[in-house]
Amino acid sequence: MCNIISDRYKYEFCPFHNITQHEQSFRWNAYSGILGIWNEWEIVNNTFVAMWMRGGDSCGAKNRQTKVLLSCGSANKLAQVSEPSTCMYSVTFETPLVCHPHSLLVYPTLRETLQGEWDEAEQALHDELITEQGYNKTLKEIFQEAGYLRDTKEKETKQDSKSSAKSEFDTLESCKEEYQKLSEEVQRLRALLSQHRILVSIDQDNSPTATTPPSAVTVKEKETHLRGDTGLRSDGLNSQRDQTDH
């Protein structure tokens, strides 16, 4: 863990975990919270340049996030902290681990199968079988497969589900409207069941149970008999035979 005290705040950075901010104040409600949780790398020219910490504490309509820039240094430390825009932070992290010229290259860190895919894409680009755009798309997919980048579709799906869940009942009025719609639908279904002579009762566990009244069963049986049951017809013939015998 690395920390730095800037102005009246103390920042603590745990690589691949999170970054936090603590207000150095004796106020009873001094702020102490998360500025971001490890999310993904930022890769430029196939080189790791920064770490993105996203999904921090809420800040109005969005969440706090931090971009951690990597810089060569003699020791692990936070060298600089700034807030370029509201709830968007920029941090410079110095470490001797990135001082080697090749230490931030992406290719050597990939497993062999992904390196092979990269080699094939490189050859295809050289042979003009794919465009520069297609080449960059392939690299992005390789980085996502390696876990260095988050899948864009996955992020969009999560954002859509969150926004739809929030917008569905974000006001009391919308909740009342939805309740009215559901009540009308329940009444419609009850009327439909009643029309077909199906009674609905509520059990002790509040689960509805559909039952058919005895009268409906009786009518059905009579209708079956009127349509001609082979057993009844056989009984009728036997009765006629008995009268003939007497």
Side-chain angles (χ1 to χ4, degrees):
M1 177 184 296
C2 302
N3 59 69
I4 183 176
I5 298 178
S6 176
D7 296 331
R8 57 193 180 95
Y9 292 101
K10 178 182 179 182
Y11 299 88
E12 294 181 341
F13 173 56
C14 296
F16 305 103
H17 186 53
N18 65 16
I19 182 168
T20 57
Q21 180 188 54
H22 309 277
E23 184 178 359
Q24 304 297 291
S25 171
F26 292 103
R27 295 189 307 129
W28 68 271
N29 61 342
Y31 176 77
S32 180
I34 299 175
L35 301 185
I37 300 171
W38 164 243
N39 185 258
E40 64 181 351
W41 285 98
E42 180 173 320
I43 300 175
V44 178
N45 294 327
N46 306 324
T47 303
F48 297 111
V49 296
M51 304 172 68
W52 274 104
M53 320 295 281
R54 295 192 172 98
D57 289 346
S58 60
C59 181
K62 58 183 179 181
N63 292 89
R64 302 174 191 272
Q65 58 179 335
T66 303
K67 181 178 181 179
V68 181
L69 300 169
L70 304 175
S71 177
C72 174
S74 58
N76 295 328
K77 67 176 183 178
L78 292 179
Q80 185 179 0
V81 178
S82 62
E83 190 176 357
S85 59
T86 305
C87 301
M88 173 71 178
Y89 303 85
S90 178
V91 173
T92 300
F93 176 57
E94 292 185 355
T95 174
L97 297 176
V98 301
C99 291
H100 191 279
H102 299 161
S103 59
L104 292 176
L105 294 179
V106 178
Y107 184 88
T109 66
L110 296 172
R111 58 179 182 268
E112 187 175 348
T113 53
L114 294 180
Q115 288 181 351
E117 292 181 16
W118 192 335
D119 293 339
E120 292 176 1
E122 194 81 34
Q123 186 63 45
L125 178 64
H126 179 269
D127 297 338
E128 298 184 352
L129 299 177
I130 59 175
T131 63
E132 186 75 26
Q133 183 178 0
Y135 173 74
N136 291 331
K137 180 181 178 182
T138 300
L139 289 189
K140 183 177 180 180
E141 292 174 349
I142 291 174
F143 298 157
Q144 289 175 344
E145 179 67 23
Y148 298 152
L149 298 180
R150 285 298 181 96
D151 192 339
T152 306
K153 294 181 179 179
E154 177 185 346
K155 289 193 290 187
E156 289 178 352
T157 302
K158 289 182 178 179
Q159 289 175 355
D160 291 343
S161 62
K162 286 182 179 179
S163 60
S164 61
K166 182 179 179 181
S167 60
E168 187 175 1
F169 298 114
D170 53 357
T171 63
L172 180 60
E173 189 64 28
S174 62
C175 182
K176 289 181 178 179
E177 291 176 0
E178 187 65 22
Y179 177 80
Q180 182 63 28
K181 291 179 182 178
L182 290 175
S183 298
E184 292 174 357
E185 181 65 14
V186 169
Q187 292 298 326
R188 187 186 70 81
L189 292 175
R190 284 183 178 273
L192 185 62
L193 291 172
S194 177
Q195 198 175 37
H196 290 78
R197 305 177 65 83
I198 299 176
L199 303 179
V200 178
S201 59
I202 304 298
D203 296 338
Q204 293 181 351
D205 58 353
N206 291 329
S207 59
T209 302
T211 58
T212 306
S215 58
V217 177
T218 305
V219 171
K220 186 176 181 181
E221 290 177 352
K222 288 182 180 180
E223 290 177 352
T224 305
H225 290 282
L226 291 174
R227 288 172 185 170
D229 182 274
T230 54
L232 290 175
R233 290 173 62 186
S234 176
D235 292 343
L237 292 174
N238 291 335
S239 176
Q240 292 178 2
R241 289 176 181 174
D242 292 342
Q243 293 177 1
T244 304
D245 292 341
H246 288 293

